[in-house]
């Protein structure tokens, strides 16, 4: 579980719909639970993922699901998909929320093994399946960013990179030609500081920059 003290920071299993689906499988009293987690940006994305998994594994006993979307996880929904009320979807959703996640859809496919687990057993099994998938790899920190294209002389490059290292920035790409061109991504919390710095440099004729994100 993430321990980041910034309560406004949310996480997912990726940063785009191109990220691989995360999968975990557990077996409890002969029942097999397979959890799949995917990055989703909208309710429609979540429904599409849930539908795809449910159709692919339509012979399973249950395909229960939960999702959280929105910048601050303000939209969520879940379904027990035939399991006793409150034993599947809600535990799955609570596991996502306890990890401060958003932009995430979870489907747990269950193959019944012939032994009833009871209400508590089901709650624990569905929550554990999601937790196991989450634990497979570090979660991606989701933050809003802006992107810039910056063109400067080689003589300024080292000092410029040193200055921006104090800000929450990432160099997404660099092109070395007659001048150095960086594609720079900055978190919104440091956007004003970066723009002030870039404007100062540009007024001095040391670099040129444009914003390349909406």
């Amino acid at each position: 579980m993430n321990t980041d003290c910034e309560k406004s920071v949310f996480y997912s299993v990726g940063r785009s719909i191109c990220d691989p689906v995360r999968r975990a499988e557990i077996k409890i009293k002969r029942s097999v639970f397979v959890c799949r987690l995917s990055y989703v940006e909208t309710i429609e994305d979540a429904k599409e993922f849930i539908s795809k998994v449910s159709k692919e594994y339509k012979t399973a006993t249950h395909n229960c699901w939960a999702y959280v979307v929105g910048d601050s996880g303000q939209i969520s929904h879940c379904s027990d998909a035939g399991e006793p009320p409150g034993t599947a979807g809600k535990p799955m959703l609570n596991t996502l929320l306890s990890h401060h996640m958003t932009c995430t859809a979870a489907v747990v496919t269950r193959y019944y093994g012939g032994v009833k687990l009871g209400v508590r057993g089901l709650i624990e099994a569905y929550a554990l399946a999601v937790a196991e998938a989450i634990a497979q790899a570090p979660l991606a920190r989701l933050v809003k960013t802006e992107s810039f294209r910056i063109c400067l002389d080689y003589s300024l490059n080292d000092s410029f990179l040193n200055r921006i290292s104090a800000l929450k920035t990432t160099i997404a790409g660099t092109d070395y030609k007659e001048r150095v061109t960086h594609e720079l991504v900055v978190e919104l919390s440091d956007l004003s500081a970066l723009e002030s710095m870039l404007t100062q440099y540009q007024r001095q004729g040391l670099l040129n920059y444009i914003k390349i994100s909406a």
Side-chain angles (χ1 to χ4, degrees), residues 140-160:
R141 186 170 177 264
L142 301 179
V143 292
K144 289 186 176 182
T145 61
E146 290 283 1
S147 299
F148 294 85
R149 183 172 293 114
I150 298 154
C151 186
L152 70 164
D153 290 335
Y154 283 84
S155 60
L156 179 64
N157 192 51
D158 288 346
S159 62
F160 174 75

Side-chain angles (χ1 to χ4, degrees), residues 7-52:
K7 297 303 182 183
S8 61
V9 175
F10 288 82
Y11 300 85
S12 184
V13 291
R15 290 189 178 87
S16 80
I17 57 176
C18 295
D19 286 308
V21 172
R22 194 175 294 192
R23 183 184 183 280
E25 180 178 318
I26 62 172
K27 188 173 183 180
I28 301 175
K29 293 183 179 179
R30 299 207 297 264
S31 277
V32 176
F33 297 82
V34 183
C35 177
R36 293 169 180 84
L37 295 178
S38 177
Y39 176 92
V40 293
E41 293 183 345
T42 65
I43 295 173
E44 291 71 25
D45 290 340
K47 289 181 177 179
E48 183 179 347
F49 173 70
I50 292 163
S51 178
K52 179 180 178 181

